[in-house]
Amino acid sequence: METHLRSGQDARLILCRLGEIPDGGGRGFTVETKRGVRDIFIVRRGDAVFAYENSCPHVGTPLDWVPDQFLSEDGSHIVCATHGAQFRIEDGMCFSGPCHGVPLPRVAVEVADGAVMLADG
């Protein structure tokens, strides 16, 4: 997981270039925001990105046990490495596992000029 620090109060936090996240894959970040340090991850589907807190709603553990490995083997959904909970990529909703019906906390990001930026820093 990479650490990104905000340099100024009004600075936009660029996490990475869109092309640095594999299409159909994910990438984790540790970022310093107005609300403190946050561990987040982003999943990319073409030009769309979906970002969530890297914390399972079941017990609060990180979802990845290997850096940047957030998805099922076939890449169709997000998986918690601790208890196997499964989440939809598009909205973070748990559809299988101990936190069924509870979504991952969303993180607002946007893509502009090829850069993935934290929108709610």
Side-chain angles (χ1 to χ4, degrees):
M1 210 172 276
E2 296 183 23
T3 302
H4 293 265
L5 302 177
R6 184 180 300 278
S7 60
Q9 279 189 320
D10 296 325
R12 299 204 50 139
L13 182 59
I14 297 175
L15 299 169
C16 66
R17 305 293 301 167
L18 181 63
E20 294 176 45
I21 303 171
D23 192 2
R27 188 166 170 191
F29 301 88
T30 299
V31 295
E32 184 177 307
T33 71
K34 295 173 195 169
R35 296 184 290 181
V37 176
R38 298 168 70 190
D39 288 324
I40 67 172
F41 70 98
I42 298 172
V43 176
R44 176 180 172 200
R45 291 285 184 260
D47 290 336
V49 292
F50 306 90
Y52 301 99
E53 296 281 343
N54 187 8
S55 178
C56 181
H58 178 221
V59 292
T61 58
L63 281 91
D64 58 331
W65 62 276
V66 173
D68 300 331
Q69 298 299 312
F70 298 97
L71 301 178
S72 61
E73 192 173 311
D74 67 0
S76 65
H77 54 275
I78 299 164
V79 177
C80 174
T82 304
H83 295 105
Q86 300 175 42
F87 304 86
R88 293 189 301 241
I89 292 170
E90 298 76 21
D91 61 8
M93 183 59 71
C94 181
F95 65 87
S96 178
C99 48
H100 187 272
V102 179
L104 293 168
R106 282 197 112 141
V107 175
V109 294
E110 56 190 49
V111 179
D113 298 322
V116 180
M117 297 177 282
L118 189 64
D120 70 348

